[in-house]
Structure formats: structure tokens, C-alpha cells
Amino acid sequence: YTLQFVPSAYQPAVLDHICEKIRAGGVLIFGHKETHYGQLGATAHEEYIKFRVDNGYSEEEIRAKTEALKGSMFTMPHYALLRHLSADFDEVQETTRFMMFSTLVARKRARKNGNRNTTK
């Protein structure tokens, strides 16, 4: 869940760097907080706040954390992440999801262009 703290303009390059380090046939396990829009996003946010309250967080703690993180979180839409990963990975599956959090497992495809990730 660290990509969300990288400004949006730099996320593709950071994701590319991570993907380059995975060998052909290797696996990426990637958890992220995704962007939700409109009324559905507002509803998901409200439910997440309720979940936190129901699990022992005080409203003061929630407000303090929200304020502390203001302007430092840059979530990515789920479809954008899937599109980005499809360039290097031939298998991408979501393994878990809760509200705006999800985890993906992806297998890197074999390259045929002679780069270091080529399988023999």
C-alpha cells in the first residue's frame, strides 16, 4: 500500500521500475488503495468510516488520521492499474477486496525481445 503515497504523475514510472525487477514467470503480489468516484465513492468512504468506528477507532482518531494524510495520498483507479500491468503480465487476478482496498497477484509474461527477462 505504498504506491498511494507517490504523487500520481510519478506512479507509472515507479510501477514500471517495480515490474522491471520481476523476472519472466515471476509473480507480483500488489495491494493498493484505489480511487472511487461519485456517489458510490462517497458511500464506500462512509462505510469505511463506519467500519473503523465499529472496530474501535474513535471519531477523533479518524479525523486526526484523515487530517494528517490530507494531500499526501494519491490513489489509482483499479482499471488504470490493470491496464498498466497488462503490458508486462499475462495473468492478473484479484485475490482480496475490502471497500477501496484490493490485492492482485500477477504473473510476468516471457519476453521475446532479448531483454534480461527473456526465458530460454
Side-chain angles (χ1 to χ4, degrees), residues 13 16 58 71 78 88 116:
D16 284 344
S58 70
H78 193 67
D88 292 311
R116 68 175 177 226

Side-chain angles (χ1 to χ4, degrees), residues 11 16 18 21 40 44 49 54 73 87 93 98 117 120:
Q11 286 179 357
D16 284 344
I18 292 167
K21 301 298 179 189
L40 183 59
I49 297 294
D54 291 347
M73 292 182 69
Q93 294 182 15
F98 177 74
N117 291 325
K120 296 180 181 181

Side-chain angles (χ1 to χ4, degrees), residues 33 41-55 57 62 65-66 73 98-101:
K33 182 177 182 180
T43 300
H45 180 74
E46 290 168 12
E47 288 298 315
Y48 183 56
I49 297 294
K50 183 180 180 307
F51 170 82
R52 290 164 67 186
V53 169
D54 291 347
N55 284 277
Y57 286 86
I62 294 168
K65 183 176 180 183
T66 299
M73 292 182 69
F98 177 74
M99 297 294 191
M100 63 281 300
F101 299 95

